[in-house]
Amino acid sequence: MKQPSPLPELDTCPIRTLMVIDDSSFDQLICQRIIAKSGLVQELIQYIDPEKALDHLAGPGNLSPDLILLDINMPRMNGFEFLEAAQRRVDADLCPIMVMLDTSMDPAGEKHARQFPSVHGFFIKPLSKEKLGDFADFLRGTR
């Protein structure tokens, strides 16, 4: 049986904590595998329910992510509703968010999302190692 690989050392990981908010278990699994193989992330926090992710972000003493990958198309609370709620509950403490889109870049959706100061970019699913590397480079430039 293959032993799990150890987590990369904290100082070698440009993304200390990454949160993925996506209602698709399949997409979550893809993200998990890419992140594990990349060596770019120390800690991964995954939420299928955006309301629970909000509770985590607003909760005292909870681990704050360096970056959030947010799905826009979710059934009970979509990504825009999440951004609005996060702005009310978490406000200035919210880390950069990269918005995940399912198939195409909708100009109206992108314009709407850019109204939120925490949104720093967009990408089309699925997550790739190259895109994760771009996010790591982005974070290096903000520290």
Side-chain angles (χ1 to χ4, degrees), residues 2-79:
K2 185 178 178 183
Q3 295 294 322
S5 58
L7 288 174
E9 292 297 318
L10 183 59
D11 47 342
T12 64
C13 295
I15 305 173
R16 290 183 292 263
T17 306
L18 175 66
M19 179 181 282
V20 177
I21 305 169
D22 190 334
D23 65 308
S24 167
S25 298
F26 179 74
D27 288 336
Q28 286 277 12
L29 181 61
I30 289 173
C31 285
Q32 188 177 28
R33 288 185 177 172
I34 288 169
I35 289 164
K37 289 180 180 182
S38 75
L40 297 171
V41 178
Q42 174 67 26
E43 178 96 21
L44 174 61
I45 304 169
Q46 294 179 280
Y47 283 101
I48 289 178
D49 182 342
E51 292 166 348
K52 290 186 180 186
L54 276 172
D55 291 341
H56 175 100
L57 292 169
N62 287 337
L63 190 60
S64 294
D66 295 318
L67 183 69
I68 296 173
L69 304 183
L70 174 65
D71 184 21
I72 286 295
N73 297 313
M74 296 183 284
R76 289 195 332 235
M77 174 187 274
N78 69 37

Side-chain angles (χ1 to χ4, degrees), residues 83-102:
L83 289 167
E84 290 166 6
Q87 194 169 5
R88 286 190 308 272
R89 289 181 63 187
V90 183
D91 197 37
D93 295 333
L94 199 57
C95 66
I97 295 176
M98 300 296 177
V99 175
M100 294 186 283
L101 303 168
D102 283 329

Side-chain angles (χ1 to χ4, degrees), residues 82-129:
F82 174 87
L83 289 167
E84 290 166 6
Q87 194 169 5
R88 286 190 308 272
R89 289 181 63 187
V90 183
D91 197 37
D93 295 333
L94 199 57
C95 66
I97 295 176
M98 300 296 177
V99 175
M100 294 186 283
L101 303 168
D102 283 329
T103 54
S104 65
M105 299 292 274
D106 174 18
E110 184 175 342
K111 183 178 179 183
H112 183 198
R114 289 208 183 272
Q115 295 174 357
F116 298 92
S118 55
V119 173
H120 290 268
F122 300 85
F123 71 101
I124 297 174
K125 289 183 183 182
L127 179 65
S128 67
K129 187 175 177 182

